[in-house]
Amino acid sequence: MKVIKFGGSSLASGKQLEKVFQIVLSDPERKVVVVSAPGKRFAEDTKVTDLLIECAEQCLQNQNPKEKLEAVMERYSAIAEECHLPDRVIKDIFNDLVNRFASDKSKPDRYIDLIKASGEDNNAKLVAAYFLERGVETTYVDPKEAGLLVSAEPGNAQALPEAYERLFSLRERQGILIFPGFFGYSEEGEVFTFSRSGSDITGSILANALNADLYENFTDVDAVYSVNPSIVKKPKEIKELTYREMRELSYAGFSVLHDEALVPAFRAGIPVQIKNTNNPSAPGTRIVYERDNTNGPVIGIASDQGFCSIYVSKYLMNREIGFGRKLLGILEDFGLSYEHTPSGIDDVSVILRENQLDDKIEAAIIQRIKTELHADEVKIEHSLALIMVVGEGMRHNVGTMARASKALARASVNIEMINQGSSEVSMMFGVKEVDEKRAVQAIYEEFFAAVTV
């Protein structure tokens, strides 16, 4: 059995839905189909999920969401009309949305989850209706009835252990099952969504629960590339990489697969295949537990902006027991999460997302670190980009860090910080945002220019 997931761009129109239909029917092993909400039809288009969030926010402000609701319904209606679906399909979607809008608004975060989850839920019903109209035995699966139990965390739900046991019974059902992505139900019966792009997570959960042979994730690119194609033209395609490599690349900016999506599949040892809905014959990229390291030390390079660093220096810091704990405790008091903590014997940098800070919080943090930890120097560096160089082969290859550093030096890029993960699967360079593109191009040139595609 294969679990197959289609992203929003794969379901943005009736023409795309026809492609999905043909892909599913081309392989009898494709039994469980996870769907996203309709995505963008063209670059300037708006995703249905974004429209739904705007609807929810207007409702919470006691405004009439009529215009946004009409935009949502237009998207579903266009697909239904193109696919010649009966009128009742659109009527049911409209009634569902009206009922959701009228729900309890006393808990805004939960209300928003309820509204935005309708994107996937109603699209699953539409897709199931289309398959049925084409004469294929198909069932829409309600996540609540199927047993997808999740934690009561708005926008960040986690599947509960018992969900896997309950979902296993789906194996006994006949025909093709259409399952909405992105959300589940709490034990109290309320809707909670996974983090954004969470339909990937749903697919991974189902692959684990059903003990699938393969989890196929269909998107709009032929494969995972070794670097962002908008930075390097015609980059090398990655044919195979490990879960850990994909996790590192996803975290650092690769948008092909949600960075949390691999966890359930990883735990069950289920391979994941990235494929292109618009070019299904392309082999795509396979994600596995282990692979042969025949490509060299580096498999991919990812980058992301929007970071800052809190640099703290204190003489004999390494002799002071509890210094790190106290420093991170100050950040915790402000509700801040951190990403990395590269350090030396007398200094440490804490890397965090810049959007967590404002001038007031920043000043308060600096003051507390100086007062409570008696630091010699505290400064915050803004507008940083993190570049992640990833590859299982690094563990068995000498000089990878030196090669990357020299490549940056040749490109006249100043390195603000360096950190290598303890797993030795990745190394991170911090540079100024203005140098990001040049830095990525230099590292790519060093490790991939001489590699045969």
Side-chain angles (χ1 to χ4, degrees):
M1 175 195 290
K2 296 178 182 178
V3 171
I4 180 170
K5 177 260 174 180
F6 290 95
S9 61
S10 300
L11 298 159
S13 67
K15 182 180 179 181
Q16 289 298 98
L17 183 48
E18 170 62 21
K19 294 178 184 178
V20 167
F21 179 78
Q22 296 298 337
I23 289 169
V24 173
L25 263 61
S26 68
D27 187 343
E29 292 297 307
R30 291 169 174 155
K31 180 176 178 180
V32 180
V33 182
V34 178
V35 301
S36 298
K40 291 186 176 183
R41 295 161 292 186
F42 44 86
E44 297 78 22
D45 202 9
T46 303
K47 296 178 180 179
V48 165
T49 300
D50 291 331
L51 291 171
L52 289 166
I53 292 172
E54 291 177 19
C55 283
E57 290 172 344
Q58 288 180 338
C59 288
L60 288 170
Q61 295 168 8
N62 294 318
Q63 299 175 5
N64 189 340
K66 180 182 177 182
E67 185 178 333
K68 297 298 180 184
L69 173 58
E70 288 177 350
V72 171
M73 291 308 304
E74 185 277 328
R75 294 296 306 278
Y76 287 116
S77 296
I79 297 171
E81 184 177 345
E82 196 174 348
C83 295
H84 307 291
L85 296 180
D87 293 342
R88 59 173 172 77
V89 174
I90 296 304
K91 288 180 181 178
D92 289 345
I93 291 175
F94 178 77
N95 291 333
D96 174 77
L97 286 171
V98 170
N99 289 333
R100 289 177 190 249
F101 289 162
S103 299
D104 180 20
K105 301 178 180 64
S106 62
K107 298 177 180 178
D109 288 346
R110 299 188 182 203
Y111 181 78
I112 290 175
D113 267 17
L114 177 67
I115 302 301
K116 67 184 180 182
S118 69
E120 277 74 11
D121 200 29
N122 283 318
N123 206 34
K125 294 171 184 175
L126 187 151
V127 172
Y130 177 68
F131 275 61
L132 285 168
E133 285 291 311
R134 297 293 297 269
V136 177
E137 183 181 4
T138 308
T139 304
Y140 154 79
V141 179
D142 181 353
K144 184 177 184 180
E145 180 266 333
L148 180 47
L149 293 175
V150 300
S151 58
E153 300 174 81
N156 192 38
Q158 308 291 319
L160 300 180
E162 54 266 39
Y164 294 91
E165 299 173 10
R166 298 189 182 193
L167 290 167
F168 183 76
S169 63
L170 292 176
R171 289 185 65 97
E172 301 170 5
R173 299 196 187 185
Q174 299 299 312
I176 293 172
L177 308 181
I178 309 295
F179 202 107
F182 192 34
F183 73 96
Y185 285 82
S186 68
E187 293 177 302
E188 291 73 32
E190 290 187 81
V191 171
F192 289 92
T193 65
F194 300 118
S195 47
R196 195 64 189 267
S197 301
S199 291
D200 292 337
I201 299 176
T202 303
S204 190
I205 290 169
L206 287 169
N208 179 310
L210 298 171
N211 193 25
D213 299 306
L214 180 67
Y215 170 33
E216 295 180 302
N217 194 297
F218 275 76
T219 180
D220 55 6
V221 294
D222 280 350
V224 176
Y225 294 101
S226 54
V227 71
N228 189 334
S230 68
I231 296 179
V232 175
K233 293 182 178 180
K234 296 182 179 180
K236 177 181 171 62
E237 291 185 3
I238 302 174
K239 295 180 180 179
E240 189 175 64
L241 71 166
T242 66
Y243 292 112
R244 288 194 298 181
E245 289 170 332
M246 189 66 213
R247 166 74 171 103
E248 296 276 1
L249 291 169
S250 295
Y251 159 77
F254 272 35
S255 59
V256 173
L257 195 63
H258 191 283
D259 63 353
E260 295 178 22
L262 291 177
V263 176
F266 166 77
R267 289 173 178 163
I270 296 168
V272 178
Q273 192 80 24
I274 307 296
K275 301 273 285 181
N276 188 351
T277 303
N278 302 313
N279 186 21
S281 62
T285 298
R286 195 174 184 87
I287 305 170
V288 295
Y289 193 84
E290 291 182 337
R291 67 175 178 84
D292 294 329
N293 294 312
T294 56
N295 62 289
V298 176
I299 192 74
I301 306 161
S303 63
D304 197 12
Q305 296 186 357
F307 295 93
C308 67
S309 70
I310 302 175
Y311 173 79
V312 182
S313 175
K314 184 178 182 181
Y315 190 62
L316 297 180
M317 180 189 294
N318 66 313
R319 300 285 187 89
E320 188 172 334
I321 297 173
F323 188 92
R325 174 183 58 78
K326 294 172 186 175
L327 174 60
L328 296 179
I330 291 173
L331 299 184
E332 183 180 359
D333 289 344
F334 286 92
L336 305 179
S337 62
Y338 71 96
E339 307 290 327
H340 304 275
T341 55
S343 64
I345 57 172
D346 290 329
D347 52 40
V348 60
S349 292
V350 182
I351 314 300
L352 61 159
R353 293 279 178 179
E354 199 164 33
N355 60 9
Q356 299 181 93
L357 298 179
D358 57 31
D359 292 342
K360 184 177 179 180
I361 292 175
E362 190 173 316
I365 287 173
I366 292 174
Q367 182 61 37
R368 283 193 59 181
I369 293 173
K370 287 182 176 179
T371 302
E372 298 176 23
L373 303 184
H374 308 290
D376 298 325
E377 182 182 6
V378 183
K379 63 180 180 180
I380 297 182
E381 192 80 27
H382 290 281
S383 303
L384 297 178
L386 297 187
I387 299 172
M388 197 75 74
V389 182
V390 178
E392 296 272 4
M394 290 183 192
R395 292 184 293 176
H396 315 289
N397 194 283
V398 176
T400 306
M401 178 72 78
R403 288 178 63 186
S405 299
K406 288 179 181 178
L408 293 175
R410 287 195 299 269
S412 300
V413 175
N414 185 52
I415 301 173
E416 302 293 330
M417 70 198 72
I418 297 177
N419 190 32
Q420 180 158 20
S422 58
S423 65
E424 297 182 28
V425 174
S426 67
M427 60 181 68
M428 181 270 289
F429 296 90
V431 302
K432 287 293 188 181
E433 289 181 348
V434 294
D435 295 327
E436 177 194 8
K437 186 174 181 179
R438 192 152 38 94
V440 171
Q441 290 169 338
I443 297 173
Y444 181 86
E445 183 75 16
E446 172 65 30
F447 290 100
F448 291 97
V451 177
T452 302
V453 178

